[in-house]
Amino acid sequence: MAATPADHMAEKSVLPSEVDDASLPVATADLTLDPAAEKKLLLKLDAFFVPIIMLVYLSCFLDRTNIGNVKVAGMPQDIHASSQQFSTAVSIFYATYVAFEAPWAILMKKLTPRVLLTSLCVVWSVTTIASGFITNIGGLYAARLVLGACEGGLFPGLNLYLTMVYKREEQAKRVSYLFVCTALSGAFGGLLAYGLLKMDGVANMAGWKWVYIIEGIFSILIGFAVWFGLPSDPSNAYFLNAEEKRMMKVRAAQRAQYMGSEEFSWSEILIELKDPKLYLSGAIQFCQDILLYGFSTFLPSIIQGLGYNSLQTQYMTIPVYICGGLSFLLAASFSDRWGIRGPFVFLTNIPGIIGYILILCPTPNGVKFFGTFLCSIAVYNGPGLNLTWLNVNVAPHYRRAAAIGFQQTIGNTAGVVAGQIYRKSPYVLGNGFSVGALGLSQVLIVAKYLYIRRQNRLKEKIARGEVADTRKVTTGDRELDFKYHL
């Protein structure tokens, strides 16, 4: 099992009240916190931060993927859009989404999380409301481009925020909460769309218009929660008492190697751009995101293709999304407990491969529907666990910010592909492409696992003096006592 930062700390347990603020920069490297007190602190952090983080990501993904719900509710016909034009509208979102991910991630600390995340949330919420008044395909293109530019900063930003609060061995579980929101947005989006589409005709407006308007208003309300609930410095959060703030300082000192300097450095970004882990992770993410964006955007259309009407389609997506979310919570918990990442990505892809094969083969509709449940396991576990695998293996902060931003840029170009391969029921091209992407991902996962294992062994040999240290970079995650999670 991979070593954690706590493995390098002294065995002595220290209560928060025994830590003097003035001694923190020097003494905390040799201190550990009382496990019971730290567990209580984690529960408090989760209770205050996690609901807000989940809600903002839920609203983000809801506003992004509701285009799948309005498609089956008649929007293309009302704005006189062809199938090709509507597919382009789905894909064009990712042009600005991928372009803005890395810049927003790198700028987050300078702009502060509170200002950046709240501003992005408000702008995309207003854009969503405006989408309810679109009358032509040009308006839909413009709205999708603005949504992409704003939402591109949220996921990297939230991931970076989590690394400011939690240790390496605590992160998969917290990242899983974001992907649970992805699943919940599908389930909640289907349920909400089911209800909102019944407003068809209210105020002489189509039901799909109300989907955009109501969901946009919901997102604006979440923006206020972000402003008041996510402090730019989590270690001094308003809900922490004096002892808990001392504990946060101890945890920060324990993670000093992982977090690094507060000063922006281009050299750290350039170091990361030469890191093979980034490109292996990005390639895996691209393959996994083919599934994520194809599945989450077009699941209603896939199920409708099995012979169900539009309202049945909306509520039949709900258990599928819930299955994917719960499976990720379970896998992430074991991944954190054992400090193992890559093997979980590999194993959770296997049900996905089986599921897509069941959908593609001439099986009864009930079997195909069961296949969507199997697909959901790979859809949500793969991207989330792979991103965590990168998060915990890159340090310090600005190197990690660049890694998350550029990895997401590489991965999210899959959204462009997803919009083009899922065009016409029964989506043989899209589902066939997805199972092929899963197969390629399995090969890349093995390659990255072997590369990281080789780097860990090289560090061990250098530390024992068995080989000369010829490495050009020896700081952050390249330090000899920084053990990569496999």
Side-chain angles (χ1 to χ4, degrees):
M1 181 168 66
T4 68
D7 295 332
H8 305 298
M9 305 296 169
E11 295 296 323
K12 169 170 90 163
S13 179
V14 179
L15 294 172
S17 58
E18 297 172 20
V19 181
D20 183 80
D21 283 338
S23 67
L24 279 170
V26 177
T28 48
D30 298 320
L31 302 178
T32 57
L33 294 167
D34 173 60
E38 188 170 22
K39 184 176 181 180
K40 186 177 179 181
L41 173 63
L42 281 173
L43 289 173
K44 191 170 187 179
L45 292 171
D46 285 346
F48 280 88
F49 286 145
V50 169
I52 296 173
I53 288 172
M54 289 182 72
L55 277 172
V56 68
Y57 196 61
L58 171 65
S59 71
C60 165
F61 216 80
L62 202 62
D63 292 343
R64 179 193 317 176
T65 59
N66 56 18
I67 193 168
N69 298 116
V70 300
K71 179 186 178 184
V72 299
M75 182 190 188
Q77 294 79 13
D78 287 355
I79 65 171
H80 311 292
S82 68
S83 296
Q84 175 59 45
Q85 288 175 323
F86 206 80
S87 292
T88 301
V90 172
S91 297
I92 203 172
F93 168 92
Y94 297 97
T96 48
Y97 188 93
V98 300
F100 281 87
E101 282 180 302
W104 287 138
I106 293 168
L107 286 170
M108 189 180 82
K109 195 167 241 185
K110 185 175 182 64
L111 296 176
T112 74
R114 169 183 280 175
V115 171
L116 177 64
L117 297 177
T118 303
S119 299
L120 294 177
C121 184
V122 170
V123 174
W124 88 59
S125 301
V126 171
T127 303
T128 300
I129 294 172
S131 298
F133 301 93
I134 288 171
T135 58
N136 55 58
I137 191 63
L140 184 57
Y141 288 161
R144 296 289 291 176
L145 287 170
V146 174
L147 277 177
C150 295
E151 294 191 8
L154 185 69
F155 191 68
L158 291 178
N159 268 277
L160 275 175
Y161 197 85
L162 290 174
T163 69
M164 294 165 63
V165 180
Y166 299 101
K167 297 178 182 178
R168 293 171 73 203
E169 65 272 22
E170 298 164 352
Q171 286 185 30
K173 185 177 180 181
R174 277 75 193 185
V175 172
S176 75
Y177 296 148
L178 294 180
F179 279 88
V180 165
C181 287
T182 305
L184 285 175
S185 74
F188 182 65
L191 185 62
L192 186 59
Y194 179 79
L196 294 178
L197 289 175
K198 291 188 174 182
M199 294 179 67
D200 189 54
V202 174
N204 294 319
M205 292 197 298
W208 64 264
K209 291 177 177 286
W210 286 111
V211 170
Y212 278 126
I213 294 168
I214 301 299
E215 291 182 2
I217 292 172
F218 169 74
S219 297
I220 284 184
L221 296 177
I222 300 304
F224 288 104
V226 172
W227 176 263
F228 292 106
L230 292 185
S232 291
D233 180 8
S235 64
N236 284 310
Y238 65 94
F239 56 83
L240 298 175
N241 60 37
E243 287 192 353
E244 289 164 341
K245 289 179 180 179
R246 292 192 185 99
M247 293 176 70
M248 291 294 284
K249 288 186 173 73
V250 174
R251 285 166 57 85
Q254 291 173 346
R255 299 181 303 136
Q257 179 190 46
Y258 182 55
M259 293 307 295
S261 172
E262 295 286 319
E263 296 297 321
F264 175 77
S265 171
W266 280 110
S267 62
E268 293 292 350
I269 294 171
L270 292 175
I271 287 170
E272 187 52 34
L273 289 175
K274 299 176 183 178
D275 186 355
K277 297 195 303 295
L278 167 61
Y279 299 102
L280 284 168
S281 180
I284 295 168
Q285 199 74 7
F286 176 85
C287 294
Q288 302 290 162
D289 280 352
I290 291 284
L291 277 69
L292 179 64
Y293 293 123
F295 192 84
S296 59
T297 303
F298 292 100
L299 181 61
S301 296
I302 292 170
I303 292 178
Q304 189 177 48
L306 300 180
Y308 300 98
N309 65 42
S310 62
L311 290 181
Q312 288 174 322
T313 294
Q314 303 297 347
Y315 63 74
M316 288 186 70
T317 63
I318 295 171
V320 180
Y321 287 123
I322 291 175
C323 172
L326 291 178
S327 71
F328 190 10
L329 280 175
L330 183 64
S333 296
F334 283 108
S335 178
D336 273 345
R337 181 179 301 177
W338 296 336
I340 296 172
R341 313 299 180 180
F344 278 97
V345 187
F346 188 94
L347 289 173
T348 53
N349 275 344
I350 294 173
I353 292 171
I354 297 171
Y356 278 106
I357 291 173
L358 291 178
I359 294 173
L360 284 165
C361 289
T363 54
N365 284 348
V367 174
K368 291 182 187 293
F369 185 54
F370 172 70
T372 64
F373 285 85
L374 296 179
C375 291
S376 72
I377 296 172
V379 164
Y380 295 107
N381 279 278
L385 290 172
N386 181 54
L387 178 59
T388 302
W389 198 11
L390 182 69
N391 278 356
V392 301
N393 284 336
V394 179
H397 173 84
Y398 279 106
R399 201 180 298 178
R400 185 165 56 257
I404 294 172
F406 286 114
Q407 189 250 34
Q408 287 293 290
T409 295
I410 295 169
N412 283 317
T413 55
V416 179
V417 179
Q420 299 306 309
I421 60 178
Y422 280 93
R423 287 189 181 180
K424 187 176 180 182
S425 180
Y427 305 106
V428 174
L429 174 61
N431 292 326
F433 202 99
S434 294
V435 74
L438 273 176
L440 177 58
S441 181
Q442 298 293 70
V443 174
L444 291 167
I445 291 164
V446 172
K448 184 182 176 187
Y449 179 92
L450 294 175
Y451 172 78
I452 289 177
R453 188 178 68 173
R454 181 174 177 271
Q455 294 303 304
N456 276 340
R457 290 178 176 177
L458 176 61
K459 288 183 179 183
E460 292 169 1
K461 289 180 180 179
I462 293 172
R464 292 195 298 263
E466 295 177 9
V467 297
D469 189 357
T470 58
R471 299 172 302 147
K472 294 181 180 179
V473 180
T474 58
T475 58
D477 62 87
R478 314 294 175 86
E479 292 182 18
L480 295 181
D481 62 348
F482 190 106
K483 189 169 184 180
Y484 295 123
H485 288 195
L486 293 174

